[in-house]
Amino acid sequence: MQRRMLHPILLLLASSFLVQGVDAAAKGRQLAAANMFLHTGQTLPTGRQGAGMVLLKGNVVTFGGDDGGDYMDDVHIYNIVEDFWRNAPVIPGDPSPPARAHMGFAVAGHSADVAFLFGGLGADGKARDDFWSLNSATLKWTSHTRANVQGPWPAERHSMAFDAVDSDTIIIFGGVSSTGQVYDDVYKFTASGNAFELVTSIGAGPGDRKSV
């Protein structure tokens, strides 16, 4: 059997068991979700690697990735309750992130209602340093720039750790640049303050690394 990377949605399903408990109905629902790729009548994401995936207000939201040739900029939403995939609407003229893979994608903000996206590997083969947010209610993207975000801006990178540690804070660690430089720096983004902060740690921290 061909080896493949563990799909992130399996981690989501495992986590949801802990949230919903282990009653038979919840188990059955999660097992049905695990078989969603066999269902018809819905718009499934095409095969890809390096996509971003978050749990946003009860829905699984995926962005981007690449299929080994083409880079993607599409958004797909999986409704866990209805067990159904759909495409996010594309509104001509609205800003949205360019196609990429191996980006940072995590949820933070008031009531955990915003998904933040940073960097990634673009279709031109270069690492990016742009910063976006996706509103859960409108599914509209907002571009954040150095002019409206406080603090030191992280260098361009892809394949980094990018995780929310609470409802207001995202930590960025490591990654790799367009030239192959591997980082060991740590940044903190605070959603309520709309600010980056370079974290100075005490003691011997992890060395530089990517794909974390």
Side-chain angles (χ1 to χ4, degrees), residues 7-169:
H7 198 286
I9 200 166
L10 297 180
L11 302 181
L12 166 71
L13 294 175
S15 299
S16 62
F17 275 118
L18 300 178
V19 174
Q20 297 184 22
V22 293
D23 60 276
K27 280 186 177 180
R29 197 62 191 166
Q30 298 307 322
L31 291 173
N35 277 330
M36 64 191 162
F37 294 107
L38 301 178
H39 294 185
T40 59
Q42 54 187 312
T43 306
L44 301 177
T46 56
R48 64 192 68 192
Q49 62 179 349
M53 176 177 281
V54 296
L55 180 61
L56 184 62
K57 303 302 286 185
N59 293 314
V60 177
V61 178
T62 70
F63 171 79
D66 76 87
D67 63 2
D70 295 324
Y71 283 75
M72 305 171 191
D73 62 356
D74 50 352
V75 176
H76 292 265
I77 302 165
Y78 174 65
N79 186 304
I80 299 173
V81 175
E82 297 178 2
D83 193 12
F84 198 84
W85 281 99
R86 65 184 175 90
N87 289 101
V90 177
I91 303 175
D94 275 5
S96 61
R100 70 192 67 200
H102 309 291
M103 75 296 292
F105 200 33
V107 172
H110 178 67
S111 301
D113 56 358
V114 178
F116 290 91
L117 182 151
F118 181 83
L121 186 64
D124 58 0
K126 295 181 179 180
R128 304 187 61 93
D129 68 349
D130 50 343
F131 189 40
W132 298 80
S133 63
L134 180 67
N135 184 284
S136 64
T138 64
L139 293 179
K140 288 187 176 182
W141 289 101
T142 298
S143 175
H144 301 271
T145 67
R146 289 171 172 82
N148 58 32
V149 176
Q150 301 179 52
W153 197 272
E156 46 89 16
R157 66 190 65 202
H158 65 85
S159 305
M160 63 286 195
F162 188 90
D163 293 288
V165 295
D166 57 39
S167 63
D168 194 44
T169 308

